[in-house]
Amino acid sequence: EKFLSHPGQLTLAVLPGLPYSREAARLIRAAGKEVILHQPMEALGGQNPGPGAIYSDMSEEEIRSQLQKNFEEIGPAIGLNNHQGSKITENRRIMDIVLAFCQEEGYFFLDSRTTAGTVVSELAQERGMEILERDIFLDNESTRTGIFTALDKGLVGAEKKGIAVMIGHAWSSELADVLHEMYPEFVEAGWSLSSIARLMMGKTLDLD
């Protein structure tokens, strides 16, 4: 609820196949925020990615069917990013299927970059497809100090290249409060918080 009441533009990613997935997506849209699918994908470490996941032994038909089912559950949504997924985002065959699905259906892909070996950017370039990539995880250290440090690092990066894509998590007990607290400073410093849809259009959304 604290994220939904944030005065700036936030994009919220919803995991599929959980008891409140559909309701969470509905509440996000009702709050005027942007919904994306937080697509579970197989990880190199073998962690359980949760229901609705994509695995490396799946066929193209199975991958497309799973993506379609997940979007039908939490949609309408504008795109997806990977939950876990280090094994999948290093897999050219599977990621080419995922990106092809996105192109055909009009979805964007945000690479959470859970592995340095990701091939998503390379495949997207081959397809002539624009994607986004995560620059900063805001709550790898979920203390207030850790989040402030990550935000500062993200802003330094944004100054260099114009934007910074920063990802945080709803389970982070301090993150929503820190974002509320920092919002007036963002405004005063002239920063815009942009929805992902606006970033993909090369635009920013004014804070006022």
Side-chain angles (χ1 to χ4, degrees):
E1 291 180 355
K2 288 184 178 180
F3 290 103
L4 297 185
S5 66
H6 192 277
Q9 284 296 312
L10 299 176
T11 298
L12 290 99
V14 179
L15 286 162
L18 299 173
Y20 297 102
S21 297
R22 192 182 300 272
E23 176 66 4
R26 186 192 68 79
L27 290 172
I28 292 165
R29 287 189 293 270
K33 307 298 186 188
E34 198 169 69
V35 177
I36 64 174
L37 170 64
H38 198 36
Q39 174 60 50
M41 294 182 175
E42 186 178 2
L44 288 167
Q47 305 95 320
N48 180 5
I54 292 173
Y55 290 94
S56 54
D57 61 353
M58 292 174 72
S59 68
E60 178 173 356
E61 182 180 359
E62 289 171 326
I63 292 167
R64 286 175 171 270
S65 176
Q66 188 63 70
L67 288 169
Q68 190 65 46
K69 179 182 177 182
N70 293 347
F71 272 109
E72 287 173 358
E73 179 184 15
I74 65 105
I78 63 166
L80 71 154
N81 74 326
N82 54 293
H83 169 62
Q84 298 184 16
S86 52
K87 187 169 184 177
I88 299 301
T89 55
E90 289 188 1
N91 186 308
R92 290 184 62 88
R93 179 186 74 87
I94 297 182
M95 283 313 307
D96 196 52
I97 294 168
V98 172
L99 293 180
F101 175 90
C102 290
Q103 275 189 309
E104 293 162 15
E105 300 296 330
Y107 297 126
F108 75 85
F109 189 87
L110 165 61
D111 186 357
S112 301
R113 290 192 62 85
T114 56
T115 172
T118 176
V119 297
V120 176
S121 178
E122 177 185 345
L123 289 173
Q125 287 181 352
E126 291 175 5
R127 287 186 158 274
M129 178 181 178
E130 288 189 61
I131 63 162
L132 289 173
E133 296 180 287
R134 187 267 310 165
D135 294 297
I136 296 291
F137 278 125
L138 289 172
D139 45 22
N140 277 344
E141 183 183 338
S142 58
T143 63
R144 286 178 60 83
T145 299
I147 294 168
F148 277 117
T149 299
L151 276 170
D152 286 341
K153 186 176 179 181
L155 293 178
V156 169
E159 287 177 343
K160 292 180 179 178
K161 68 174 191 175
I163 66 168
V165 178
M166 296 186 269
I167 295 178
H169 298 86
W171 49 254
S172 179
S173 60
E174 301 287 352
L175 181 58
D177 288 338
V178 170
L179 291 177
H180 275 278
E181 187 177 326
M182 288 292 291
Y183 185 74
E185 296 185 30
F186 288 147
V187 175
E188 186 175 349
W191 290 106
S192 292
L193 297 185
S194 180
S195 68
I196 285 179
R198 292 292 182 112
L199 285 177
M200 294 302 287
M201 292 187 293
K203 302 175 181 178
T204 55
L205 190 64
D206 291 337
L207 288 173
D208 53 12

